[in-house]
């Protein structure tokens, strides 16, 4: 969206625009990496901060039939939106959750023999088996998985998908990718007839060895670059803009913000925008990040406050009260913003706040 806040948004001071058609198109582009197999969608953490309620139906309409979430509660929310979808709960079977999983027709991703036995006791319902090929996080080790092959508990637990997760898929030259792909292929061979899934967003670009039977992207659907260091083939999804509340002049030697962590080296023009860390914008981007005003790149100066950010708009003649500053969008994509804050675009997305008005387009 372009232009200042309209009457219905002005009470919020900032605006987040989420492009659902870009999400749908990104999902299709990822799927096109392996056109002969289906592409699922990972929509954990409220669809990476973009809003499950809007994102899940958009993906369903585009043709996505399999969804992954992290928690039971996320699965319940997804089920309410997607009555016919296959929904997996990545974090597995926590004690006491089996009845709810069954009630909402959710499939846990089981990661230990204990979980398999417990799930089997519920009466032969669908699930996935997580094999840990290098993350040391969730799932059976490769030797444990190989030893489990042929065990009646596998059928009793209704294992309908084998999966593992890549450690460094976004770094295609890392040797660990080939090791994981090889280990997963061995496990897959031991479970004939059970479909397998390995590829997250970046894994979609690691070739057939990582594709298996089902792609499982998240981040890139939401505009993140699955191939860092190369041009991003994904369409941008989120745009965050905040209104300029005030423009002021400071003289050389005057400081800006809490604890005076920036001092004007010469006379400067500053703009204060109505968005801060309470909106999910990372405070770690203080004195490091940028915003765009009228297309000009303006440094964030001083410490980011809870509700306000100060920009040096000396080089941005368009800066004026009521004009919008772009915090995420155009050249300031989520990967760039993440880097400026010493983190990754994933964290920028999943920190997106709810205090500003959200507009869905497409
Ligand atoms: C989050 C997650 C994904 C998606 O990863 P992206 O890098 O966001 O594409 C896939 N599989 C598992 C197990 C995950 O936890």
């Amino acid at each position: 969206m372009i232009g200042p806040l309209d009457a219905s948004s002005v009470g919020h001071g900032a605006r987040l625009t989420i492009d659902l058609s870009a999400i749908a198109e990104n999902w299709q582009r990822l799927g096109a990496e392996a056109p002969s197999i289906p592409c699922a969608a990972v929509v954990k953490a409220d669809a990476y901060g973009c809003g499950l309620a809007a994102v899940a139906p958009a993906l369903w309409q585009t043709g996505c039939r399999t969804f992954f979430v992290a928690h039971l509660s996320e699965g319940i929310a997804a089920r309410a939106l997607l009555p016919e979808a296959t929904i997996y709960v990545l974090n597995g079977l926590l004690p006491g959750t089996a009845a709810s999983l069954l009630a909402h027709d959710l499939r846990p991703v089981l990661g230990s023999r204990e979980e398999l036995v417990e799930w089997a006791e519920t009466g032969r319902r669908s699930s996935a088996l997580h094999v840990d090929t290098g993350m040391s996080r969730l799932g059976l080790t490769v030797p444990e998985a190989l030893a489990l092959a042929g065990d009646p508990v596998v059928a009793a637990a209704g294992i309908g998908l084998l999966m593992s997760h890549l450690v460094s898929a976004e770094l295609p030259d890392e040797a660990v990718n080939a090791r994981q792909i090889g280990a997963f292929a061995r496990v897959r061979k031991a479970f004939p007839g059970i479909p397998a899934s390995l590829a997250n967003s970046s894994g979609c670009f690691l070739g057939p060895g990582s594709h298996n039977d089902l792609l499982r992207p998240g981040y890139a659907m939401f505009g993140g670059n699955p191939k860092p260091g190369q041009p991003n083939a994904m369409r941008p999804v989120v745009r965050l803009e905040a209104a300029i509340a005030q423009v002021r002049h400071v003289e050389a030697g005057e400081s800006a913000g809490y604890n005076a962590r920036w001092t004007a080296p010469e006379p400067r023009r500053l703009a204060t925008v109505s968005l801060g860390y309470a909106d999910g914008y990372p405070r770690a981007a203080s004195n490091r990040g940028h915003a765009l005003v009228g297309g000009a790149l303006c440094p964030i100066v001083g410490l980011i406050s809870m509700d306000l950010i100060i920009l040096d708009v000396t080089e941005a003649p368009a800066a004026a009260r009521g004009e919008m500053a772009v915090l995420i969008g155009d050249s300031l994509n989520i990967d760039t913003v993440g880097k400026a804050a010493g983190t990754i675009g994933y964290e920028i997305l999943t920190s997106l706040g709810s205090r500003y008005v959200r507009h869905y387009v497409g």
Side-chain angles (χ1 to χ4, degrees), residues 9-361:
S9 318
V10 77
H12 296 269
R15 170 174 64 210
L16 179 70
T17 308
I18 295 166
D19 188 340
L20 296 173
S21 59
I23 295 174
E25 200 177 316
N26 290 338
W27 178 78
Q28 286 171 324
R29 287 184 192 182
L30 291 158
E33 287 301 307
S36 61
I37 60 168
C39 185
V42 181
V43 291
K44 59 196 180 189
D46 199 27
Y48 289 57
C50 291
L52 184 70
V55 170
L59 286 167
W60 175 267
Q61 274 168 31
T62 311
C64 184
R65 293 294 174 262
T66 303
F67 294 79
F68 290 84
V69 295
H71 298 297
L72 167 62
S73 62
E74 295 175 352
I76 293 172
R79 174 57 72 213
L81 298 160
L82 305 166
E84 294 170 66
T86 298
I87 302 172
Y88 289 100
V89 176
L90 288 167
N91 285 13
L93 183 65
L94 282 170
T97 59
S100 288
L101 287 161
L102 286 172
H104 296 92
D105 189 20
L106 303 170
R107 304 182 181 191
V109 179
L110 305 171
S112 67
R113 196 167 203 290
E114 198 182 351
E115 287 186 45
L116 270 106
V117 169
E118 196 176 316
W119 187 244
E121 281 167 2
T122 68
R124 201 182 250 281
R125 301 300 184 94
S126 300
S127 63
L129 181 66
H130 202 150
V131 182
D132 195 321
T133 54
M135 190 74 95
S136 302
R137 195 175 67 167
L138 285 177
L140 280 86
T141 64
V142 171
E144 283 171 346
L146 293 173
L148 196 73
D151 190 315
V153 76
V154 174
I159 301 295
L161 181 72
L162 281 181
M163 51 168 278
S164 188
H165 195 41
L166 294 164
V167 171
S168 295
E170 77 284 7
L171 305 170
D173 297 333
E174 290 284 311
V176 67
N177 289 311
R179 281 205 301 276
Q180 289 191 273
I181 287 169
F184 193 55
R186 281 203 307 284
V187 171
R188 193 184 167 190
K189 234 182 230 150
F191 293 84
I194 301 183
S197 174
L198 178 63
N200 67 336
S201 296
S202 296
C204 295
F205 298 89
L206 291 179
S210 80
H211 292 160
N212 293 278
D213 305 304
L214 179 72
L215 302 179
R216 220 173 60 227
Y219 184 55
M221 287 194 300
F222 304 101
N225 189 353
K227 296 162 88 173
Q230 295 187 45
N232 190 356
M234 299 295 124
R235 277 181 59 190
V237 168
V238 300
R239 185 174 181 84
L240 179 59
E241 302 154 293
I244 294 176
Q246 207 173 22
V247 177
R248 66 204 304 115
H249 287 272
V250 289
E251 298 300 332
E254 286 192 84
S255 70
Y258 286 115
N259 307 139
R261 297 281 287 274
W262 179 87
T263 301
E266 57 196 62
R268 290 287 168 101
R269 198 163 161 253
L270 303 184
T272 305
V273 301
S274 58
L275 177 123
Y277 63 75
D279 298 285
Y281 193 87
R283 186 171 175 275
S286 298
N287 274 324
R288 291 177 64 181
H290 292 82
L292 294 161
V293 179
L297 196 63
C298 303
I300 292 172
V301 297
L303 290 180
I304 290 170
S305 315
M306 187 184 292
D307 323 297
L308 296 165
I309 291 176
I310 307 168
L311 303 175
D312 182 344
V313 295
T314 312
E315 311 294 337
R321 177 171 166 259
E323 290 299 312
M324 300 300 275
V326 178
L327 279 300
I328 302 175
D330 302 329
S331 61
L332 296 173
N333 58 57
I334 50 176
D335 293 293
T336 311
V337 174
K339 202 167 185 183
T343 180
I344 52 177
Y346 289 72
E347 193 174 346
I348 301 301
L349 282 179
T350 55
S351 302
L352 289 172
S354 53
R355 201 157 66 141
Y356 30 71
V357 19
R358 284 183 173 224
H359 276 300
Y360 288 93
V361 297

